Amino acid sequence: MELKINREMIPVTETILDDVQEQSVELDYVLPDYDPDIFRIIGCEMHPTIVSYTTASDRITYELRVDIRILYCGAGSTLLQCVSQQMMFSRSAELPRTAENPTLTLRPRITYSNCRAVSPRRLEARGAVSVQIRVTGDRRQEVIRDVFGMHVQLRKIPVEYAAQKRSAVKNITLSEEVELGAAKPPIRSIVRNNVRLVHQETSILAGKLIVKGDAEVQLLYTWQKDDGSGGMESMQFTLPYSQIVDMEQIDESYRSSAEAQVIRCDLKPSAEVLQCEIELRLCCTAIQTASVQLVTDAFSTCYPCQQAPVSVQIDMAPEQVYSSMACSAVIRPGDRIPECIYDLQCQVRNINMQLLSDTNRIRVSGMLCCSLLAADAEGMPVLLEKEEAFDAYADPGTSVADAVLRAQVEPADCTYHLASDGTISVQANLLLHGALCPSARHVCLSDLEVDGENKLVRDGDYALKLYYGVEHEDIWDIAKRCHTSVDAIMEENELAEEQLANAGMLFIPIVH
């Protein structure tokens, strides 16, 4: 009897690079003539952004921009001054090997930042940025999907995998002229601005990927009257976007997702309007799934066999995760008790995400970093900062078993309450968004050899034998040990499950 083996090539995922690069940030800045002398440093903020990146066969190259904002007050004035500077860095990382369809993920974050006044006209800012680099790729692995002949018995598991992957990156620009309105004073200078991306959704129509979402812009600015008096004012507006992204050969059978990233936000104030231009990067993915029966074990009831096992990591179609979590912090001021609060911003650091398969939840822990800009009783600006550890849980809406989480955590919104003693209670909603990628490692067979020249030698000539099975023993293991089939054992003993519920005696029929 001839042995026939059906094989299949399936894509398996491998990690090419998983590394962290550090970049120091050093700024020496001399104030221009039109800015007042430095009387008091209020605070320093740094925001890193990946501007662009390229992937070659042996390395990746990326451009890192760090936006630096230094807040200070001049002598004899309570009006807040802002120094804004940008620094660009070009970095690269070598890839240890090439891969098919590489996927690159770059996550920058500020490790620390501080500044000081060297003189009334000179500032020094120091900081550090860490960039997490992760590169994954596909390779094709040949596996056995079926075997016929030579009395071969097979153990199979059904696996759904990502058979086709399509990806595309598109940069878009949103432009808008926003009227300040009669209730808003004219903008003197912008102190803070932040862009939050919300309500994002994707769909496939006529072979094109449609990406929709909103960009919410929040800013804090200073204003000043002709008599020298002034203050600060906050403002918020939303810019919607809808884009068509070309992707090769996709249809409604694909599952789509997109991650929007803010590259830059340019705000240019004039007398009555604010010109806003936002550049976004849309990282789009579309995946088509297929099913396969992987052969994980095999034996012949009549002939000796030699297996060639291989361990493969198989990615299935990702499920989108979008969950909100609440956390809080308490800021206790020192000698300078705030009388009014202008702005509150929250960031997260040192994020750790853990998949809890027993409760099917995601545990998220880290540090909530609150930065609150206020004014004391004399009207002098003061920056209050607090880091508070948090531990929250998210319900993903899908199974977390045998999955890999590729997501990030960002503050969605934050509120505060100012008590009479100056204590400030902060409530923040954190948004966990990304993809939960079911990914499992399987040991399957890539080849099988059956020695048809030599039959197995049995310990006797019989058609039935007795076997004492232990609790939870697999019928497959019994059949392999006794050189018979699983179906024969289950039929002879009237078993409904392929695992013994209780220990007991079994009749083992011998098949040929």
Side-chain angles (χ1 to χ4, degrees), residues 272-287:
E272 298 179 352
V273 298
L274 175 68
Q275 294 180 350
C276 177
E277 187 173 277
I278 301 174
E279 185 179 359
L280 303 180
R281 180 189 298 118
L282 302 180
C283 301
C284 307
T285 304
I287 292 178

Side-chain angles (χ1 to χ4, degrees), residues 16-193:
I16 307 301
L17 180 65
D18 194 352
D19 194 15
V20 176
Q21 285 189 341
E22 300 289 339
Q23 175 63 56
S24 61
V25 180
E26 298 181 359
L27 173 67
D28 291 327
Y29 183 79
V30 178
L31 295 178
D33 295 338
Y34 51 80
D35 280 348
D37 288 352
I38 302 168
F39 175 69
R40 175 180 293 168
I41 296 289
I42 303 300
C44 175
E45 299 175 349
M46 296 186 183
H47 301 281
T49 304
I50 301 297
V51 178
S52 62
Y53 57 85
T54 57
T55 305
S57 59
D58 60 343
R59 68 174 49 240
I60 63 167
T61 304
Y62 62 92
E63 296 291 325
L64 170 68
R65 188 189 72 230
V66 179
D67 296 304
I68 305 173
R69 285 182 178 270
I70 302 173
L71 306 179
Y72 76 95
C73 282
S77 173
T78 60
L79 190 62
L80 194 64
Q81 306 292 328
C82 179
V83 173
S84 299
Q85 291 291 298
Q86 291 184 350
M87 300 189 71
M88 298 291 297
F89 305 93
S90 296
R91 298 294 303 268
S92 63
E94 293 186 0
L95 299 178
R97 58 188 182 277
T98 60
E100 180 184 350
N101 298 326
T103 300
L104 172 62
T105 303
L106 297 168
R107 304 287 187 198
R109 69 178 183 89
I110 289 293
T111 305
Y112 76 92
S113 63
N114 55 54
C115 66
R116 69 186 185 99
V118 180
S119 70
R121 306 296 302 172
R122 184 181 171 192
L123 292 165
E124 281 187 358
R126 300 290 182 265
V129 179
S130 63
V131 181
Q132 184 181 15
I133 307 171
R134 180 178 173 84
V135 183
T136 59
D138 294 338
R139 64 177 176 85
R140 297 284 170 173
Q141 173 67 51
E142 187 178 64
V143 296
I144 295 176
R145 65 176 301 175
D146 220 338
V147 179
F148 302 96
M150 305 292 284
H151 305 280
V152 172
Q153 305 292 312
L154 301 177
R155 191 177 199 179
K156 300 180 179 180
I157 58 171
V159 173
E160 183 184 24
Y161 65 97
Q164 299 291 334
K165 297 180 181 179
R166 303 283 186 264
S167 61
V169 177
K170 183 178 182 179
N171 286 20
I172 64 173
T173 302
L174 311 179
S175 298
E176 187 77 20
E177 283 193 354
V178 183
E179 294 185 359
L180 298 182
K184 295 288 185 181
I187 300 175
R188 179 181 180 273
S189 65
I190 296 174
V191 176
R192 281 178 167 181
N193 67 281

